[in-house]
Amino acid sequence: MAWRKIVLTGLAEFLPSEPWRRRGLPIRARAGRLTGMGDRVEQPAWGITMPPAGTTSGVQVVMSGALGPAAHTRMRDTLRVALLTALSPEPSSLSVLLTAVTSCDGVLPEELHELAATCARENVPLRIDVSPALLPQLGSTELAPFLRLSDSTAATEPDLAVVPTWIDRATLVIAVAGELDLVTTPRMRDDIAVILAARPLRLVLDVVGVSFLASIGVNEIVRLAHVAADDAMTLHVAAGEHNRRTFELLGLADTLLRVFDTPAQALTAFGG
């Protein structure tokens, strides 16, 4: 997808005006140069990728460079604008790409903790991509569910695997591995539709291997639950602890969906 870009300079021009945000225009911002004591200092580059109006694309924040005291104000403003955009007009996914960050102080982890807490409260799927060098500075129990280790400084197209395994003539396990986002979720839907033409009576959807579960992926799993109910098929979801937390926060676990940590637990729950 081609993004329209608006290049802004300086903090005063950084925050997009309300009409821009409502229209969902993609905005790219780069910090300007600061002059002091006769030296010209190049500030880190910042970017916010906004979803086009009328789409369900997520919001991506890209940060790079040394995130020290001089970057604190821009860092806070960047994360807040991105969060507001992800919440308007309705929640979408938010990702923060930090693989090009060379160093940071304690403020970045604090801001990410606050962002993670808000995203969890507002049901906004959050993903934070970090480099191995940055991980020790960010690693914590609270942030662990949102962190994704990456050696690449550029986003790559995610891959997806959908593998069916028949347990017996009536019981099927469909294992999904990779990332469920705007690109891959339609592929999963099409693959599963073909597989379910065999009409099993019992189905385990195994998403333990899903490393990133965007809102569109959750919506597809909910749609599959309705399809299963209409076809008199019993559906259990094996989610792992990391994805089970998402279903619990959304109020789906043990209500619309029967969610388990492992495929073995989901199969045992069928009984008989």
Side-chain angles (χ1 to χ4, degrees):
M1 179 180 296
W3 297 100
R4 293 174 54 195
K5 297 181 181 178
I6 301 172
V7 178
L8 310 176
T9 58
L11 179 60
E13 298 176 301
F14 171 71
L15 293 176
S17 66
E18 186 66 20
W20 289 352
R21 187 170 66 80
R22 284 202 304 268
R23 294 172 191 155
L25 291 179
I27 295 174
R28 296 284 294 180
R30 186 179 299 277
R33 294 178 182 268
L34 300 182
T35 303
M37 301 298 290
D39 296 326
R40 291 170 63 82
V41 181
E42 180 70 28
Q43 296 299 302
W46 306 84
I48 301 179
T49 303
M50 304 288 191
T55 72
T56 56
S57 302
V59 180
Q60 184 182 76
V61 176
V62 181
M63 298 185 183
S64 62
L67 305 185
H72 290 170
T73 299
R74 286 186 175 89
M75 178 170 58
R76 292 189 180 99
D77 290 339
T78 298
L79 294 175
R80 279 155 179 72
V81 170
L83 179 59
L84 287 173
T85 304
L87 288 170
S88 178
E90 58 185 33
S92 63
S93 62
L94 173 59
S95 62
V96 181
L97 189 63
L98 303 176
T99 53
V101 172
T102 56
S103 64
C104 71
D105 55 18
V107 174
L108 177 60
E110 292 175 0
E111 291 296 318
L112 292 177
H113 275 100
E114 181 179 342
L115 179 67
T118 303
C119 286
R121 185 169 60 251
E122 300 295 337
N123 295 328
V124 175
L126 173 66
R127 162 177 156 177
I128 305 172
D129 287 76
V130 299
S131 65
L134 191 64
L135 184 62
Q137 301 177 63
L138 299 180
S140 67
T141 303
E142 293 80 6
L143 283 180
F146 309 100
L147 294 178
R148 181 175 183 273
L149 193 62
S150 175
D151 289 306
S152 173
T153 58
T156 58
E157 183 177 351
D159 201 2
L160 184 75
V162 179
V163 181
T165 302
W166 287 93
I167 305 302
D168 55 43
R169 297 182 63 179
T171 307
L172 174 65
V173 176
I174 299 180
V176 181
E179 300 179 351
L180 281 181
D181 57 18
L182 188 65
V183 175
T184 58
T185 297
R187 289 166 46 195
M188 180 191 73
R189 179 177 61 242
D190 293 343
D191 290 349
I192 289 179
V194 172
I195 296 169
L196 292 186
R199 303 185 67 83
L201 296 179
R202 295 177 291 273
L203 172 64
V204 172
L205 181 64
D206 175 9
V207 294
V208 174
V210 172
S211 57
F212 178 64
L213 182 59
S215 58
I216 187 174
V218 174
N219 289 339
E220 179 54 29
I221 293 172
V222 170
R223 189 196 69 83
L224 180 61
H226 288 296
V227 170
D230 291 342
D231 292 343
M233 176 172 52
T234 304
L235 171 67
H236 290 174
V237 178
E241 293 182 1
H242 56 301
N243 288 323
R244 181 186 180 94
R245 182 172 179 272
T246 298
F247 294 119
E248 290 174 343
L249 288 171
L250 293 173
L252 298 173
D254 299 324
T255 53
L256 181 61
L257 301 175
R258 292 203 63 189
V259 182
F260 303 85
D261 286 340
T262 67
Q265 292 173 351
L267 286 169
T268 301
F270 286 133

